[in-house]
PDB file of all heavy atoms in Angstrom:
ATOM      1  N   HIS A1202      -2.511   1.113 -29.694  1.00 96.00           N
ATOM      2  CA  HIS A1202      -3.658   1.194 -30.567  1.00 96.00           C
ATOM      3  C   HIS A1202      -3.372   1.043 -32.037  1.00 96.00           C
ATOM      4  O   HIS A1202      -4.293   1.094 -32.864  1.00 96.00           O
ATOM      5  CB  HIS A1202      -4.387   2.575 -30.397  1.00 96.00           C
ATOM      6  CG  HIS A1202      -4.954   2.729 -28.983  1.00 96.00           C
ATOM      7  ND1 HIS A1202      -6.108   2.125 -28.583  1.00 96.00           N
ATOM      8  CD2 HIS A1202      -4.525   3.519 -27.977  1.00 96.00           C
ATOM      9  CE1 HIS A1202      -6.343   2.459 -27.337  1.00 96.00           C
ATOM     10  NE2 HIS A1202      -5.395   3.292 -26.948  1.00 96.00           N
ATOM     11  N   LYS A1203      -2.060   0.839 -32.393  1.00 96.00           N
ATOM     12  CA  LYS A1203      -1.665   0.638 -33.761  1.00 96.00           C
ATOM     13  C   LYS A1203      -2.049   1.821 -34.656  1.00 96.00           C
ATOM     14  O   LYS A1203      -2.434   1.676 -35.847  1.00 96.00           O
ATOM     15  CB  LYS A1203      -2.211  -0.665 -34.358  1.00 96.00           C
ATOM     16  CG  LYS A1203      -2.099  -1.890 -33.485  1.00 96.00           C
ATOM     17  CD  LYS A1203      -0.688  -2.270 -33.218  1.00 96.00           C
ATOM     18  CE  LYS A1203      -0.598  -3.519 -32.373  1.00 96.00           C
ATOM     19  NZ  LYS A1203       0.772  -3.776 -31.849  1.00 96.00           N
ATOM     20  N   GLN A1204      -2.049   2.997 -34.024  1.00 96.00           N
ATOM     21  CA  GLN A1204      -2.499   4.226 -34.793  1.00 96.00           C
ATOM     22  C   GLN A1204      -1.494   5.359 -34.535  1.00 96.00           C
ATOM     23  O   GLN A1204      -0.822   5.371 -33.531  1.00 96.00           O
ATOM     24  CB  GLN A1204      -3.892   4.665 -34.316  1.00 96.00           C
ATOM     25  CG  GLN A1204      -5.020   3.687 -34.643  1.00 96.00           C
ATOM     26  CD  GLN A1204      -6.315   4.122 -33.988  1.00 96.00           C
ATOM     27  OE1 GLN A1204      -6.377   5.111 -33.272  1.00 96.00           O
ATOM     28  NE2 GLN A1204      -7.415   3.366 -34.266  1.00 96.00           N
ATOM     29  N   SER A1205      -1.482   6.251 -35.498  1.00 96.00           N
ATOM     30  CA  SER A1205      -0.636   7.423 -35.340  1.00 96.00           C
ATOM     31  C   SER A1205      -1.300   8.431 -34.408  1.00 96.00           C
ATOM     32  O   SER A1205      -2.503   8.539 -34.279  1.00 96.00           O
ATOM     33  CB  SER A1205      -0.323   8.108 -36.719  1.00 96.00           C
ATOM     34  OG  SER A1205       0.263   7.175 -37.597  1.00 96.00           O
ATOM     35  N   TRP A1206      -0.431   9.261 -33.812  1.00 97.00           N
ATOM     36  CA  TRP A1206      -0.894  10.338 -32.884  1.00 97.00           C
ATOM     37  C   TRP A1206      -1.501  11.443 -33.734  1.00 97.00           C
ATOM     38  O   TRP A1206      -0.922  11.904 -34.756  1.00 97.00           O
ATOM     39  CB  TRP A1206       0.239  10.861 -32.088  1.00 97.00           C
ATOM     40  CG  TRP A1206      -0.251  11.825 -31.012  1.00 97.00           C
ATOM     41  CD1 TRP A1206      -0.333  13.170 -31.093  1.00 97.00           C
ATOM     42  CD2 TRP A1206      -0.688  11.452 -29.712  1.00 97.00           C
ATOM     43  NE1 TRP A1206      -0.852  13.646 -29.929  1.00 97.00           N
ATOM     44  CE2 TRP A1206      -1.036  12.640 -29.029  1.00 97.00           C
ATOM     45  CE3 TRP A1206      -0.799  10.252 -28.998  1.00 97.00           C
ATOM     46  CZ2 TRP A1206      -1.519  12.660 -27.709  1.00 97.00           C
ATOM     47  CZ3 TRP A1206      -1.241  10.257 -27.690  1.00 97.00           C
ATOM     48  CH2 TRP A1206      -1.586  11.415 -27.069  1.00 97.00           C
ATOM     49  N   LEU A1207      -2.699  11.902 -33.377  1.00 95.00           N
ATOM     50  CA  LEU A1207      -3.376  13.031 -34.122  1.00 95.00           C
ATOM     51  C   LEU A1207      -3.372  14.290 -33.320  1.00 95.00           C
ATOM     52  O   LEU A1207      -3.299  14.227 -32.068  1.00 95.00           O
ATOM     53  CB  LEU A1207      -4.831  12.592 -34.351  1.00 95.00           C
ATOM     54  CG  LEU A1207      -5.008  11.237 -35.184  1.00 95.00           C
ATOM     55  CD1 LEU A1207      -6.434  10.911 -35.286  1.00 95.00           C
ATOM     56  CD2 LEU A1207      -4.374  11.492 -36.601  1.00 95.00           C
ATOM     57  N   PRO A1208      -3.405  15.438 -33.973  1.00 91.00           N
ATOM     58  CA  PRO A1208      -3.446  16.742 -33.277  1.00 91.00           C
ATOM     59  C   PRO A1208      -4.536  16.776 -32.201  1.00 91.00           C
ATOM     60  O   PRO A1208      -4.374  17.369 -31.109  1.00 91.00           O
ATOM     61  CB  PRO A1208      -3.636  17.770 -34.373  1.00 91.00           C
ATOM     62  CG  PRO A1208      -3.068  17.099 -35.600  1.00 91.00           C
ATOM     63  CD  PRO A1208      -3.353  15.644 -35.446  1.00 91.00           C
ATOM     64  N   GLY A1209      -5.693  16.177 -32.563  1.00 94.00           N
ATOM     65  CA  GLY A1209      -6.814  16.216 -31.640  1.00 94.00           C
ATOM     66  C   GLY A1209      -6.579  15.357 -30.404  1.00 94.00           C
ATOM     67  O   GLY A1209      -7.315  15.584 -29.379  1.00 94.00           O
ATOM     68  N   ASP A1210      -5.591  14.469 -30.407  1.00 96.00           N
ATOM     69  CA  ASP A1210      -5.269  13.650 -29.274  1.00 96.00           C
ATOM     70  C   ASP A1210      -4.575  14.531 -28.161  1.00 96.00           C
ATOM     71  O   ASP A1210      -4.621  14.196 -26.979  1.00 96.00           O
ATOM     72  CB  ASP A1210      -4.351  12.504 -29.629  1.00 96.00           C
ATOM     73  CG  ASP A1210      -5.062  11.488 -30.530  1.00 96.00           C
ATOM     74  OD1 ASP A1210      -6.261  11.371 -30.438  1.00 96.00           O
ATOM     75  OD2 ASP A1210      -4.315  10.827 -31.312  1.00 96.00           O
ATOM     76  N   THR A1211      -3.860  15.535 -28.672  1.00 97.00           N
ATOM     77  CA  THR A1211      -3.076  16.374 -27.694  1.00 97.00           C
ATOM     78  C   THR A1211      -3.946  17.247 -26.839  1.00 97.00           C
ATOM     79  O   THR A1211      -3.581  17.508 -25.664  1.00 97.00           O
ATOM     80  CB  THR A1211      -2.100  17.226 -28.523  1.00 97.00           C
ATOM     81  OG1 THR A1211      -1.275  16.370 -29.366  1.00 97.00           O
ATOM     82  CG2 THR A1211      -1.145  18.012 -27.571  1.00 97.00           C
ATOM     83  N   ILE A1212      -5.013  17.757 -27.414  1.00 97.00           N
ATOM     84  CA  ILE A1212      -5.772  18.820 -26.722  1.00 97.00           C
ATOM     85  C   ILE A1212      -6.333  18.381 -25.328  1.00 97.00           C
ATOM     86  O   ILE A1212      -6.108  19.116 -24.363  1.00 97.00           O
ATOM     87  CB  ILE A1212      -6.956  19.359 -27.627  1.00 97.00           C
ATOM     88  CG1 ILE A1212      -6.377  19.628 -29.026  1.00 97.00           C
ATOM     89  CG2 ILE A1212      -7.621  20.542 -27.010  1.00 97.00           C
ATOM     90  CD1 ILE A1212      -5.140  20.588 -29.050  1.00 97.00           C
ATOM     91  N   PRO A1213      -6.985  17.215 -25.235  1.00 96.00           N
ATOM     92  CA  PRO A1213      -7.470  16.861 -23.865  1.00 96.00           C
ATOM     93  C   PRO A1213      -6.345  16.571 -22.881  1.00 96.00           C
ATOM     94  O   PRO A1213      -6.559  16.627 -21.696  1.00 96.00           O
ATOM     95  CB  PRO A1213      -8.297  15.599 -24.172  1.00 96.00           C
ATOM     96  CG  PRO A1213      -7.868  15.080 -25.504  1.00 96.00           C
ATOM     97  CD  PRO A1213      -7.451  16.293 -26.272  1.00 96.00           C
ATOM     98  N   VAL A1214      -5.174  16.259 -23.364  1.00 97.00           N
ATOM     99  CA  VAL A1214      -3.996  16.031 -22.479  1.00 97.00           C
ATOM    100  C   VAL A1214      -3.785  17.322 -21.676  1.00 97.00           C
ATOM    101  O   VAL A1214      -3.331  17.269 -20.530  1.00 97.00           O
ATOM    102  CB  VAL A1214      -2.744  15.607 -23.271  1.00 97.00           C
ATOM    103  CG1 VAL A1214      -1.525  15.546 -22.342  1.00 97.00           C
ATOM    104  CG2 VAL A1214      -3.014  14.263 -23.920  1.00 97.00           C
ATOM    105  N   GLY A1215      -4.042  18.476 -22.303  1.00 97.00           N
ATOM    106  CA  GLY A1215      -3.836  19.749 -21.610  1.00 97.00           C
ATOM    107  C   GLY A1215      -4.705  19.943 -20.411  1.00 97.00           C
ATOM    108  O   GLY A1215      -4.355  20.792 -19.508  1.00 97.00           O
ATOM    109  N   ILE A1216      -5.791  19.172 -20.268  1.00 96.00           N
ATOM    110  CA  ILE A1216      -6.626  19.285 -19.031  1.00 96.00           C
ATOM    111  C   ILE A1216      -6.668  17.923 -18.315  1.00 96.00           C
ATOM    112  O   ILE A1216      -7.602  17.610 -17.574  1.00 96.00           O
ATOM    113  CB  ILE A1216      -8.048  19.795 -19.326  1.00 96.00           C
ATOM    114  CG1 ILE A1216      -8.753  18.839 -20.298  1.00 96.00           C
ATOM    115  CG2 ILE A1216      -8.032  21.207 -19.909  1.00 96.00           C
ATOM    116  CD1 ILE A1216     -10.287  19.087 -20.384  1.00 96.00           C
ATOM    117  N   GLY A1217      -5.625  17.102 -18.571  1.00 96.00           N
ATOM    118  CA  GLY A1217      -5.546  15.839 -17.832  1.00 96.00           C
ATOM    119  C   GLY A1217      -6.593  14.791 -18.212  1.00 96.00           C
ATOM    120  O   GLY A1217      -6.944  14.013 -17.380  1.00 96.00           O
ATOM    121  N   GLN A1218      -6.962  14.857 -19.473  1.00 95.00           N
ATOM    122  CA  GLN A1218      -7.972  13.821 -19.960  1.00 95.00           C
ATOM    123  C   GLN A1218      -7.379  13.053 -21.118  1.00 95.00           C
ATOM    124  O   GLN A1218      -6.122  12.982 -21.206  1.00 95.00           O
ATOM    125  CB  GLN A1218      -9.274  14.562 -20.343  1.00 95.00           C
ATOM    126  CG  GLN A1218      -9.927  15.295 -19.255  1.00 95.00           C
ATOM    127  CD  GLN A1218     -10.800  14.406 -18.331  1.00 95.00           C
ATOM    128  OE1 GLN A1218     -10.948  13.252 -18.518  1.00 95.00           O
ATOM    129  NE2 GLN A1218     -11.351  15.051 -17.262  1.00 95.00           N
ATOM    130  N   GLY A1219      -8.151  12.485 -21.943  1.00 95.00           N
ATOM    131  CA  GLY A1219      -7.699  11.689 -23.093  1.00 95.00           C
ATOM    132  C   GLY A1219      -7.118  10.370 -22.554  1.00 95.00           C
ATOM    133  O   GLY A1219      -7.701   9.699 -21.720  1.00 95.00           O
ATOM    134  N   TYR A1220      -5.926  10.034 -23.088  1.00 96.00           N
ATOM    135  CA  TYR A1220      -5.341   8.711 -22.734  1.00 96.00           C
ATOM    136  C   TYR A1220      -4.615   8.747 -21.370  1.00 96.00           C
ATOM    137  O   TYR A1220      -4.174   7.705 -20.896  1.00 96.00           O
ATOM    138  CB  TYR A1220      -4.325   8.310 -23.790  1.00 96.00           C
ATOM    139  CG  TYR A1220      -4.928   8.101 -25.166  1.00 96.00           C
ATOM    140  CD1 TYR A1220      -4.539   8.906 -26.246  1.00 96.00           C
ATOM    141  CD2 TYR A1220      -5.821   7.111 -25.431  1.00 96.00           C
ATOM    142  CE1 TYR A1220      -5.052   8.726 -27.499  1.00 96.00           C
ATOM    143  CE2 TYR A1220      -6.364   6.912 -26.685  1.00 96.00           C
ATOM    144  CZ  TYR A1220      -5.967   7.695 -27.749  1.00 96.00           C
ATOM    145  OH  TYR A1220      -6.467   7.564 -29.030  1.00 96.00           O
ATOM    146  N   TRP A1221      -4.417   9.903 -20.826  1.00 97.00           N
ATOM    147  CA  TRP A1221      -3.565  10.087 -19.647  1.00 97.00           C
ATOM    148  C   TRP A1221      -4.261   9.506 -18.395  1.00 97.00           C
ATOM    149  O   TRP A1221      -5.351   9.827 -18.054  1.00 97.00           O
ATOM    150  CB  TRP A1221      -3.319  11.576 -19.468  1.00 97.00           C
ATOM    151  CG  TRP A1221      -2.250  11.971 -18.495  1.00 97.00           C
ATOM    152  CD1 TRP A1221      -1.524  11.156 -17.649  1.00 97.00           C
ATOM    153  CD2 TRP A1221      -1.737  13.286 -18.216  1.00 97.00           C
ATOM    154  NE1 TRP A1221      -0.664  11.858 -16.878  1.00 97.00           N
ATOM    155  CE2 TRP A1221      -0.726  13.172 -17.261  1.00 97.00           C
ATOM    156  CE3 TRP A1221      -2.096  14.526 -18.747  1.00 97.00           C
ATOM    157  CZ2 TRP A1221      -0.041  14.326 -16.791  1.00 97.00           C
ATOM    158  CZ3 TRP A1221      -1.386  15.639 -18.284  1.00 97.00           C
ATOM    159  CH2 TRP A1221      -0.386  15.500 -17.244  1.00 97.00           C
ATOM    160  N   THR A1222      -3.536   8.629 -17.645  1.00 97.00           N
ATOM    161  CA  THR A1222      -4.015   8.154 -16.354  1.00 97.00           C
ATOM    162  C   THR A1222      -2.882   8.186 -15.320  1.00 97.00           C
ATOM    163  O   THR A1222      -1.714   8.044 -15.707  1.00 97.00           O
ATOM    164  CB  THR A1222      -4.559   6.691 -16.431  1.00 97.00           C
ATOM    165  OG1 THR A1222      -3.530   5.791 -16.849  1.00 97.00           O
ATOM    166  CG2 THR A1222      -5.707   6.581 -17.426  1.00 97.00           C
ATOM    167  N   VAL A1223      -3.230   8.371 -14.041  1.00 98.00           N
ATOM    168  CA  VAL A1223      -2.270   8.454 -13.006  1.00 98.00           C
ATOM    169  C   VAL A1223      -2.817   7.652 -11.811  1.00 98.00           C
ATOM    170  O   VAL A1223      -3.973   7.357 -11.709  1.00 98.00           O
ATOM    171  CB  VAL A1223      -2.010   9.926 -12.584  1.00 98.00           C
ATOM    172  CG1 VAL A1223      -1.559  10.752 -13.753  1.00 98.00           C
ATOM    173  CG2 VAL A1223      -3.309  10.541 -11.996  1.00 98.00           C
TER     174      VAL A1223
END
Side-chain angles (χ1 to χ4, degrees):
H1202 296 285
K1203 313 296 182 192
Q1204 296 174 355
S1205 299
W1206 189 268
L1207 302 174
D1210 295 331
T1211 304
I1212 310 308
V1214 173
I1216 61 166
Q1218 299 278 356
Y1220 298 116
W1221 193 353
T1222 62
V1223 302

